Amino acid sequence: MGHGPAVKLGKDNASPYKAALGVKMFFAYTFVYAVFVALNSLSPATMEITFGGINLAVIYGVGLIVLALIMAVIYNIACCKAEARLNK
Amino acid sequence: MVYTQSPLAIGLFFMFVLGVLGISFYFARRGSSAESYYAAGGNIHWFTNGIAFAGDYLSAASFLGITGMIATAGYDGFVYAVGYLAGWMVALFLVAEPMKRLGKYTFTDALDAKFNSKGIQLMAAISTLVVSIFYLIPQMVGAGTLVTPLMGLPHYAGVIIVGIVVTIIVATAGMASTTYVQFLKGALLIIFSTVLCGAILNRGLSTAPNQGGTKEYHKFVTLNADESASGDLQLADSSYSVAANWKSSAFGEGGFVMLTKEGAESIWHINENPEGGYLLEETLYTTELADGTKLYNGAEAEKGKFFAVGHMKEVIVNGQSVVETGALGPLDYLRAMQNSTVVLWGKKYVHDGDKKFTIYYQKPTPGSKVLRAGLKFKVDNATTTQKLNYISLMLALFCGTAALPHVLIRYYTVPSQAAARKSTIVAIAAIGFFFIMTLIMGLGAMTNGVLNITDSNMSTPLVALSFGVILFSIISSIAFSTVLGTVSGLIVAASGAVAHDLMNNFLGLKMTDKGMVMAGKLSAVVIGLIAIYLGIIFEGMNVSFLVGWAFAIAASANLPAILMILFWKGTTAKGVATSIGVGIVSSLGMILLSPDMYVRYGLLPTDAPTSLNNPGIISIPLSFLTLVIVSLLTRKDIVPELDAEAAEA
């Protein structure tokens, strides 16, 4: 059995752009996640601060999940545009 | 706990299992090539694949484990959900498209695409097998846990049912059937979890949860007591008697006292009374006798003396103390929890002669502490090791997702890189939505008087049961099919590692297309039997604990290799193979030598050579470092880049 993709893939000139964008967005998200872990482990009392009756721990945790979706959608839009532009 | 079996629940369960088998046989007739078996022909629509990703990922650990952990330890269960979901960003931003570009059937294909190295083929296949089997164990244990209340069958029966059904599924149709089973299951899981959340919010919070008026909650008794000058314990309720050595007994040293009333024994938690004397609070306890017999509150399980728990001590809404809130929106529900006090349950072990007691005692906890870290993981006034343990767990959860073989092979089922990316985004949306709901479902299970304190894994089905047998039946059947689907995916990944990576590539047994499918199916049967055996012997082991192992091993063994191949041109085949080996050995070794494992060996945790329970913070960097050092030492082995088509496609 040879190697290579299960289906024949076309040439993708947008790959370098998408990879570079992915790395940048990965580091941005990782930073936000790292702050979350640091606050929970090093300063848990900070997470008790409330905003509108909801504490920071819940807002930050749910926020990380929502942020993941928002960043994923932005990434997809940017990738789709790059594919349309570079793979004409 | 005593469960009453419902014909509806059993009927729905069989309907789900037969439906899953029907899908499997249908797809078995549609294709018999290797592409079909291992990668569903690469023709799955990205949306279907995205929901199937969610189906794969929302395994027994997520559906049962996270909700159960939130139900018993609050926010510390929710951080698992945050960590699991965050891991998908690694998959989306760094791994999804390159994996699709480089691989064909298995995760090893992608790692080996550039090198064609026997070392990588062997190590990656071993890694796939090890991670898949470690992920299989908790799924099988979860299956065994589910069948007891659902069908009244013992644990091993559930494990065997799942093992046989899944082996039939995988041995007949492979990736196509598992994809559609996962799609169906993932969609149903999200729909009915939303229904369950709505029901929990509609009921609100109560200090005496009566399950919508259908079941009266247990009234906990508190006794007043004083200590006489001679040291005797004098009880205000004279119908109870107490032994003279109450303070020096094994119970007394643990902060408890055993009382007797009309010949029946009970254990009480001793609290100081602010007004003088003591307040004795009712506990629940299990007793393990010398012959292995287990008693619940001093009687056999069938007697039903062990009851469900979970209630609010005090409910505060808008600054007012109320008995119950009535229907609440999600934000108001969280606000009410934040301001109120919940009765959680502590656990202590007491050995009295040859009897082993596990005592569960009431622990009123402010909602503000329930909704932040610290109930399960020690973070307040914690030692450096305790903080490192927490950070290490969160690192493993973050890095593990993008390194799980059964998740990675799903990228081969879609037709293009864009489809791989879009399916990941659908997965993030579906999984993220579900994980947010786990917070409500977990808090609902915590406060609705439904918790089986000896097995938190059952929290979701039991809170569903409090809303009627129909919702319970559906949720339990979905949970069972969750296990079926996840185990199917894992067995496909593991059988691919054996047939394609080890037999075909590493050993060079050049098989025909049909031969490789047959080898995969036979491997699936053998792996299925191994999974059944492990599922039975690991009964009672914590599901989340086992999944933590799988994530740590995957993150240590696979992720450094994946990322460095993609982002460092200096990576060599020997560097990759060595790093996978070091990742497996270091993570597995640290787990086996951890304090948690020493407790399971019956040894003292302080005797463990390492104080870390989660190896990720050591084993992941070690694996990266190994790859870099070995690659630098073997630079002469670097081969030219992939041919232009493969690299740029």
Side-chain angles (χ1 to χ4, degrees):
Chain A
M1 300 303 299
H3 290 279
V7 289
K8 184 75 177 169
L9 299 174
K11 189 175 165 71
D12 184 8
N13 296 318
S15 270
Y17 169 82
K18 291 188 289 185
L21 179 64
V23 169
K24 284 177 198 160
M25 295 188 82
F26 164 75
F27 279 113
Y29 191 82
T30 302
F31 175 76
V32 182
Y33 180 77
V35 172
F36 172 77
V37 175
L39 280 176
N40 272 328
S41 56
L42 305 176
S43 181
T46 307
M47 291 300 223
E48 285 188 49
I49 299 168
T50 57
F51 299 91
I54 311 283
N55 71 11
L56 181 60
V58 172
I59 293 170
Y60 206 147
V62 173
L64 265 172
I65 293 173
V66 174
L67 177 67
L69 181 60
I70 292 169
M71 287 180 73
V73 171
I74 292 170
Y75 176 67
N76 185 51
I77 291 169
C79 289
C80 288
K81 282 185 178 171
E83 284 164 351
R85 189 174 66 246
L86 300 170
N87 291 334
K88 280 177 183 171
Chain B
M1 296 287 293
V2 177
Y3 303 104
T4 308
Q5 279 67 53
S6 148
L8 179 64
I10 295 169
L12 262 171
F13 168 79
F14 279 110
M15 203 179 81
F16 264 78
V17 172
L18 290 175
V20 166
L21 283 173
I23 292 171
S24 172
F25 292 136
Y26 174 73
F27 284 101
R29 284 201 299 272
R30 284 185 47 173
S32 58
S33 67
E35 270 84 1
S36 173
Y37 182 75
Y38 291 110
N43 287 321
I44 302 287
H45 189 271
W46 55 265
F47 183 80
T48 306
N49 202 53
I51 299 294
F53 257 135
D56 263 332
Y57 201 68
L58 300 177
S59 65
S62 303
F63 187 44
L64 304 176
I66 291 179
T67 312
M69 207 181 289
I70 293 172
T72 52
Y75 189 78
D76 280 341
F78 186 60
V79 296
Y80 270 86
V82 175
Y84 285 140
L85 197 277
W88 279 93
M89 303 311 277
V90 184
L92 174 67
F93 291 143
L94 304 181
V95 174
E97 292 200 37
M99 281 301 293
K100 176 63 194 167
R101 191 175 70 227
L102 297 177
K104 186 170 185 180
Y105 298 142
T106 64
F107 149 74
T108 307
D109 285 340
L111 288 190
D112 198 33
K114 181 178 170 184
F115 302 106
N116 197 18
S117 150
K118 293 285 181 195
I120 292 179
Q121 288 162 11
L122 177 65
M123 295 314 295
I126 291 173
S127 167
T128 301
L129 268 176
V130 170
V131 174
S132 297
I133 286 175
F134 270 98
Y135 215 104
L136 272 171
I137 299 169
Q139 309 304 324
M140 300 302 264
V141 172
T145 305
L146 273 169
V147 292
T148 304
L150 190 65
M151 300 177 70
L153 296 172
H155 175 91
Y156 70 84
V159 175
I160 291 172
I161 291 171
V162 166
I164 290 172
V165 173
V166 165
T167 306
I168 291 171
I169 292 169
V170 178
T172 49
M175 202 59 185
S177 70
T178 57
T179 297
Y180 285 102
V181 166
Q182 292 294 46
F183 170 75
L184 190 67
K185 184 213 87 183
L188 287 173
L189 187 66
I190 289 163
I191 291 167
F192 283 97
S193 296
T194 309
V195 171
L196 181 57
C197 276
I200 290 169
L201 293 172
N202 189 49
R203 183 181 282 171
L205 296 165
S206 166
T207 53
N210 59 7
Q211 305 188 11
T214 59
K215 194 172 183 181
E216 196 176 341
Y217 189 60
H218 179 82
K219 286 188 174 65
F220 287 94
V221 177
T222 301
L223 300 175
N224 283 296
D226 278 310
E227 188 175 358
S228 69
S230 58
D232 290 335
L233 190 67
Q234 296 175 323
L235 294 152
D237 184 343
S238 58
S239 63
Y240 288 92
S241 60
V242 58
N245 68 340
W246 67 278
K247 210 167 189 177
S248 60
S249 70
F251 294 106
E253 287 174 1
F256 300 97
V257 60
M258 180 170 271
L259 303 182
T260 308
K261 182 178 181 180
E262 295 165 2
E265 292 179 329
S266 53
I267 298 174
W268 299 71
H269 186 217
I270 304 171
N271 294 288
E272 296 283 343
N273 187 343
E275 294 165 11
Y278 299 109
L279 291 173
L280 307 184
E281 286 183 332
E282 199 178 348
T283 70
L284 287 95
Y285 63 99
T286 62
T287 316
E288 196 179 330
L289 306 180
D291 63 0
T293 307
K294 205 161 185 183
L295 303 176
Y296 295 83
N297 274 6
E300 292 83 9
E302 297 73 32
K303 297 274 171 64
K305 286 185 72 178
F306 206 80
F307 46 86
V309 297
H311 69 282
M312 306 293 296
K313 187 172 181 67
E314 185 179 30
V315 180
I316 306 286
V317 179
N318 299 326
Q320 302 291 315
S321 178
V322 297
V323 175
E324 59 184 14
T325 60
L328 292 170
L331 292 179
D332 285 335
Y333 189 88
L334 292 171
R335 282 189 194 103
M337 277 295 298
Q338 166 80 21
N339 296 325
S340 306
T341 303
V342 190
V343 175
L344 297 181
W345 291 80
K347 181 164 78 171
K348 276 193 180 175
Y349 301 98
V350 172
H351 289 201
D352 186 29
D354 56 1
K355 292 179 182 174
K356 294 176 185 169
F357 291 85
T358 306
I359 305 171
Y360 304 91
Y361 61 97
Q362 299 174 57
K363 227 171 57 172
T365 309
S368 58
K369 300 288 182 198
V370 172
L371 292 176
R372 52 148 275 197
L375 291 182
K376 179 174 176 61
F377 306 110
K378 187 160 174 56
V379 290
D380 293 289
N381 306 314
T383 62
T384 304
T385 304
Q386 286 165 330
K387 288 181 187 295
L388 278 179
N389 253 324
Y390 180 81
I391 294 168
S392 191
L393 170 71
M394 296 306 286
L395 180 66
L397 297 182
F398 187 58
C399 296
T401 298
L404 290 172
H406 73 292
V407 168
L408 293 173
I409 61 170
R410 191 155 288 294
Y411 284 120
Y412 308 137
T413 64
V414 289
S416 66
Q417 289 161 254
R421 183 179 70 238
K422 288 176 183 173
S423 63
T424 311
I425 294 166
V426 171
I428 289 170
I431 295 167
F433 180 60
F434 175 82
F435 278 162
I436 290 173
M437 288 194 292
T438 60
L439 191 56
I440 300 295
M441 288 192 285
L443 294 175
M446 177 190 278
T447 57
N448 269 286
V450 298
L451 268 185
N452 175 355
I453 205 77
T454 62
D455 188 357
S456 65
N457 290 328
M458 279 305 297
S459 301
T460 311
L462 290 177
V463 75
L465 182 59
S466 76
F467 293 99
V469 74
I470 293 177
L471 194 54
F472 166 72
S473 309
I474 294 170
I475 291 283
S476 296
S477 300
I478 293 171
F480 201 81
S481 62
T482 291
V483 175
L484 288 182
T486 306
V487 173
S488 304
L490 286 164
I491 290 184
V492 168
S495 65
V498 173
H500 175 256
D501 300 339
L502 282 180
M503 294 171 71
N504 194 75
N505 290 350
F506 179 70
L507 295 175
L509 306 173
K510 292 300 170 195
M511 292 181 279
T512 61
D513 204 46
K514 276 191 173 176
M516 206 172 74
V517 172
M518 182 54 68
K521 290 179 175 179
L522 286 174
S523 307
V525 172
V526 174
I527 293 162
L529 291 172
I530 294 171
I532 290 172
Y533 172 72
L534 292 174
I536 292 171
I537 64 166
F538 276 90
E539 179 186 359
M541 204 152 176
N542 183 284
V543 169
S544 300
F545 182 79
L546 288 165
V547 169
W549 276 3
F551 267 71
I553 297 169
S556 307
N558 300 344
L559 195 69
I562 295 169
L563 293 184
M564 295 306 267
I565 283 174
L566 296 176
F567 295 102
W568 187 40
K569 288 182 179 173
T571 303
T572 66
K574 285 177 183 160
V576 171
T578 315
S579 132
I580 295 172
V582 167
I584 296 172
V585 172
S586 61
S587 56
L588 198 53
M590 286 182 69
I591 288 166
L592 295 176
L593 297 174
S594 67
D596 272 2
M597 280 308 296
Y598 262 54
V599 173
R600 291 173 196 280
Y601 301 146
L603 302 170
L604 287 173
T606 46
D607 289 344
T610 166
S611 50
L612 279 177
N613 281 311
N614 298 294
I617 202 160
I618 304 283
S619 55
I620 296 171
L622 184 65
S623 182
F624 269 111
L625 195 64
T626 303
L627 191 149
V628 172
I629 291 171
V630 175
S631 293
L632 288 174
L633 292 174
T634 56
R635 293 186 78 155
K636 60 180 172 33
D637 296 342
I638 291 179
V639 294
E641 278 296 294
L642 297 170
D643 61 81
E645 184 187 353
E648 297 299 324

